[in-house]
């Protein structure tokens, strides 16, 4: 894939970038390694000051950073500036809490003193996707840099200007040179970087094939990885729920980021008692969303990020309809330039169709009718993925069953799934392993060192 900015609203090529040569990559790794040797000795107070400054830059430049994200991957300008602010929140959160999260922790034993010391690891490689081009990277940067690690970013090839803007923010915030650098490389160059002994670990957010590749390369040299992969989150509605509220949140939960979010609700599993009410309100809400120019304030759903993604979505819907799925609204691309697809609701989805089996990365919702909670949970778990999940019910015993029995890294009750710097984020099954964010997130890439001092 070329490293280039292509406007998804028009598919016009705006700018291309020459990939870094192997010599340039080697020199950046050398620079990162040298930076780590000094950076690991900086204090939490110094790192915190730089991280707070990064937050201020993100806040003050949210409009132009937002325009950059929208130009490169098509999210609405409104959501893009909100993304810049969310990054600032993560920076502030870790600036304020990292020292406490990584403070020595006494563990009483028969020793005179025994404790856990959390120490930085070194260079961490971050392989990141285009869908939240700032948020995905800052939720790596904020904890990792506060922990005393340094970062190398291999961003998705369609968001090179976002990648360079992030490097510039970290530098302007005052972090020492070399603490965070962007590598402009294709995915074929990742192996060479990851096998370098100076790279200590890798985090990847993206697709299953990318995750399998990075984890197996890292596994060969026993390096830790964290994988945040795909999802096909269930959104379950039971009879005691506020159906009107659930239906309106459902449209938002499916179409967030033009439908291209790993934790977007994708499968809507509705109890038969409220199915008709939910289906008509939800279909109406999906059909009313404004599709168009993502730079316009009134737009709800912009284009998919690339022409390939649009082609894949068209294939998945057409194949599902050919197998018997029913289109309640939408069901096709928008004629004209750009990668626009109509918000779509599918029902009567056959088990062997792509809409049932695969992750659908676009504004297409799958509706299922179930007769009771057992069937709802069985259907929700009938997927290789296990990222987020949500269930709408006011019944306490049903809530307990969803918490206990949904096979997912996250369960939200009477709310859509969202990431929050204070809470761990990640999945089970083929959605990956490890957790970002929260107190546990910052401990993924540290040496958890046991210290024992004889009495
Ligand atoms: P992708 O193709 O896997 O790309 C993600 C990143 O991995 C890009 O930087 C890409 O580089 C790189 N990459 C691709 N193949 C690779 C390989 N074999 N070796 C090393 N690096 C490789 O994913 P995508 O289609 O852009 O992103 C959408 C996917 O990400 C969806 O499945 C979505 O659910 C998932 N996602 C998960 C989360 C989460 O937190 N769980 C969050 C967001 C997205 P190039 O661009 O150069 O190919």
């Amino acid at each position: 894939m070329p490293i280039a900015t292509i406007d998804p609203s028009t598919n016009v090529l705006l700018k291309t970038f020459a990939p870094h040569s192997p010599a340039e990559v080697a020199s950046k790794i050398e620079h990162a390694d040298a930076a780590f040797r000094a950076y690991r000795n900086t204090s939490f107070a110094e790192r915190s000051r730089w991280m707070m400054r990064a937050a201020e830059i993100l806040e003050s430049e949210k409009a132009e950073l937002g325009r950059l994200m929208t130009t490169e991957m098509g999210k609405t300008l409104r959501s893009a500036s909100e993304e810049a602010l969310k990054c600032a929140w993560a920076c502030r959160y870790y600036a304020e809490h990292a020292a406490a999260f990584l403070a020595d922790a006494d563990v009483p034993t028969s020793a005179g003193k025994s404790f856990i010391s959390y120490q930085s690891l070194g260079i961490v490689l971050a392989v990141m996707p285009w869908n939240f081009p700032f948020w995905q990277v800052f939720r790596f940067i904020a904890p990792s840099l506060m922990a005393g690690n340094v970062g190398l970013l291999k961003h998705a090839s369609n968001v090179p200007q976002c990648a360079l803007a992030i490097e510039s923010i970290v530098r302007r915030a005052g972090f020492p040179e070399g603490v965070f650098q962007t590598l402009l490389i294709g995915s074929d160059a990742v192996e060479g970087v990851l096998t370098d002994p100076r790279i200590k670990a890798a985090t990847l957010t993206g697709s299953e094939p990318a995750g399998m590749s990075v984890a197996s390369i890292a596994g060969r040299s026993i390096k830790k990885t964290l994988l945040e992969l795909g999802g096909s989150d269930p959104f379950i509605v039971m009879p005691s729920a506020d159906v009107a509220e659930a239906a309106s949140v459902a449209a938002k939960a499916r179409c967030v980021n033009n439908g291209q979010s790993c934790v977007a609700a994708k499968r809507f599993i509705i109890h038969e008692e409220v199915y008709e009410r939910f289906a008509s309100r939800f279909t109406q809400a999906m059909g009313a969303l404004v599709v168009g120019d993502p730079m316009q304030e009134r737009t709800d759903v912009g284009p998919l990020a690339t022409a390939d993604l649009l082609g894949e979505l068209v294939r998945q819907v057409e194949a599902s309809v050919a197998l018997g799925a029913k289109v309640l609204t939408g069901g096709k691309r928008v004629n004209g330039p750009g990668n626009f697809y109509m918000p779509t609701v599918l029902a009567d989805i056959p088990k062997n169709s792509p809409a049932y089996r695969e992750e659908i990365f676009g504004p297409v919702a799958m509706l299922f009718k179930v007769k009771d909670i057992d069937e709802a949970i069985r259907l929700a778990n009938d997927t290789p993925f296990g990222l987020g999940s949500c269930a709408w019910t006011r019944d306490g015993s049903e809530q307990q069953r969803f918490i206990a029995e949904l096979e997912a890294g996250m369960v939200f009750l009477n709310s859509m799934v969202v990431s929050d710097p204070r809470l761990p984020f990640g999945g089970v099954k083929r959605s990956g392993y490890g957790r970002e964010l929260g107190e546990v997130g910052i401990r993924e890439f540290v040496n958890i060192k046991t210290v024992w001092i004889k009495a």
Side-chain angles (χ1 to χ4, degrees):
M1 206 200 272
I3 300 178
T5 302
I6 300 171
D7 183 346
S9 297
T10 57
N11 279 323
V12 170
L13 173 66
L14 300 177
K15 199 163 177 179
T16 52
F17 292 78
H20 288 141
S21 66
E24 285 171 310
V25 171
S27 131
K28 283 176 187 291
I29 296 175
E30 178 57 42
H31 194 29
D33 190 48
F36 174 64
R37 275 179 256 129
Y39 184 66
R40 65 188 305 178
N41 298 317
T42 56
S43 65
F44 280 113
E46 284 172 292
R47 296 174 201 161
S48 211
R49 211 169 45 245
W50 298 322
M51 200 56 82
M52 285 294 195
R53 178 73 194 119
E56 285 163 17
I57 297 173
L58 284 156
E59 283 160 356
S60 67
E61 297 179 7
K62 69 176 171 105
E64 58 211 88
L65 297 173
R67 265 192 301 280
L68 192 53
M69 292 182 229
T70 301
T71 302
E72 290 204 302
M73 53 65 66
K75 69 172 60 210
T76 62
L77 185 56
R78 198 175 351 118
S79 63
S81 354
E82 283 165 10
E83 183 167 332
L85 293 180
K86 189 164 177 180
C87 294
W89 180 22
C91 291
R92 288 185 193 286
Y93 177 72
Y94 279 106
E96 284 165 6
H97 296 284
F101 292 159
L102 299 180
D104 288 352
D106 282 330
V107 181
T109 63
S110 58
K113 182 175 172 64
S114 45
F115 63 98
I116 302 165
S117 165
Y118 298 98
Q119 302 180 356
S120 52
L121 278 186
I123 309 175
V124 183
L125 174 68
V127 181
M128 291 288 147
W130 46 265
N131 62 341
F132 292 91
F134 270 62
W135 172 241
Q136 303 287 0
V137 180
F138 272 95
R139 76 184 192 189
F140 159 71
I141 288 177
S144 282
L145 268 50
M146 284 306 301
N149 294 316
V150 308
L152 284 176
L153 169 67
K154 181 271 177 275
H155 216 328
S157 294
N158 57 332
V159 289
Q161 298 194 59
C162 289
L164 293 168
I166 293 168
E167 184 184 69
S168 154
I169 291 167
V170 176
R171 193 182 318 113
R172 286 184 287 136
F175 283 95
E177 287 291 325
V179 164
F180 180 81
Q181 300 171 87
T182 284
L183 303 175
L184 291 178
I185 52 172
S187 54
D188 54 346
V190 167
E191 179 161 11
V193 177
L194 193 48
T195 48
D196 186 294
R198 292 165 294 185
I199 308 293
K200 301 299 184 219
T203 177
L204 177 137
T205 300
S207 61
E208 278 184 75
M212 284 189 274
S213 169
V214 163
S216 57
I217 295 164
R220 286 202 293 277
S221 40
I222 324 289
K223 289 181 185 176
K224 178 157 183 182
T225 51
L226 184 154
L227 300 181
E228 298 282 11
L229 308 177
S232 190
D233 285 10
F235 185 113
I236 302 167
V237 183
M238 298 300 286
S240 65
D242 179 335
V243 174
E245 191 199 354
S248 112
V249 173
K252 194 170 159 219
R254 174 57 284 205
C255 292
V256 61
N257 210 32
N258 307 338
Q260 305 158 115
S261 167
C262 52
V263 286
K266 290 167 188 156
R267 297 173 300 133
F268 296 82
I269 298 170
I270 316 300
H271 192 282
E272 61 187 8
E273 270 180 41
V274 288
Y275 181 86
E276 294 307 331
R277 246 185 328 137
F278 178 90
S280 70
R281 284 171 190 262
F282 178 52
T283 304
Q284 201 264 335
M286 288 286 281
L289 292 170
V290 178
V291 182
D293 180 356
M295 292 287 181
Q296 297 298 323
E297 182 63 28
R298 61 190 287 273
T299 298
D300 297 307
V301 181
L304 300 190
T306 67
D308 282 355
L309 284 160
L310 175 64
E312 176 65 0
L313 189 63
V314 168
R315 176 197 72 76
Q316 288 171 311
V317 173
E318 284 179 356
S320 302
V321 171
L323 287 165
K326 201 162 114 204
V327 177
L328 302 188
T329 185
K332 45 185 190 293
R333 62 172 297 178
V334 176
N335 287 328
N339 311 318
F340 295 93
Y341 197 87
M342 293 166 74
T344 295
V345 180
L346 300 178
D348 301 337
I349 294 146
K351 252 190 153 178
N352 58 347
S353 66
Y356 192 101
R357 288 276 146 221
E358 299 171 10
E359 180 183 26
I360 303 286
F361 224 51
V364 177
M366 278 68 71
L367 261 185
F368 299 88
K369 192 194 303 189
V370 290
K371 63 176 187 326
D372 56 24
I373 189 168
D374 293 320
E375 193 183 355
I377 292 172
R378 209 165 38 244
L379 182 54
N381 291 340
D382 187 20
T383 165
F385 298 108
L387 192 54
S389 60
C390 78
W392 294 68
T393 171
R394 294 186 179 116
D395 179 315
S397 62
E398 286 179 354
Q399 293 183 349
Q400 288 312 313
R401 285 202 59 192
F402 288 126
I403 293 168
E405 296 179 40
L406 287 175
E407 295 168 0
M410 298 168 274
V411 55
F412 282 58
L413 296 173
N414 300 318
S415 165
M416 63 186 269
V417 179
V418 283
S419 60
D420 181 315
R422 297 163 293 190
L423 287 168
F425 184 96
V428 294
K429 296 161 77 176
R430 292 180 81 92
S431 292
Y433 51 74
R435 291 292 180 270
E436 295 188 280
L437 300 176
E439 184 168 357
V440 297
I442 197 170
R443 295 205 180 133
E444 287 282 359
F445 293 118
V446 288
N447 177 6
I448 302 175
K449 191 179 274 182
T450 295
V451 183
W452 169 288
I453 304 169
K454 197 176 168 194

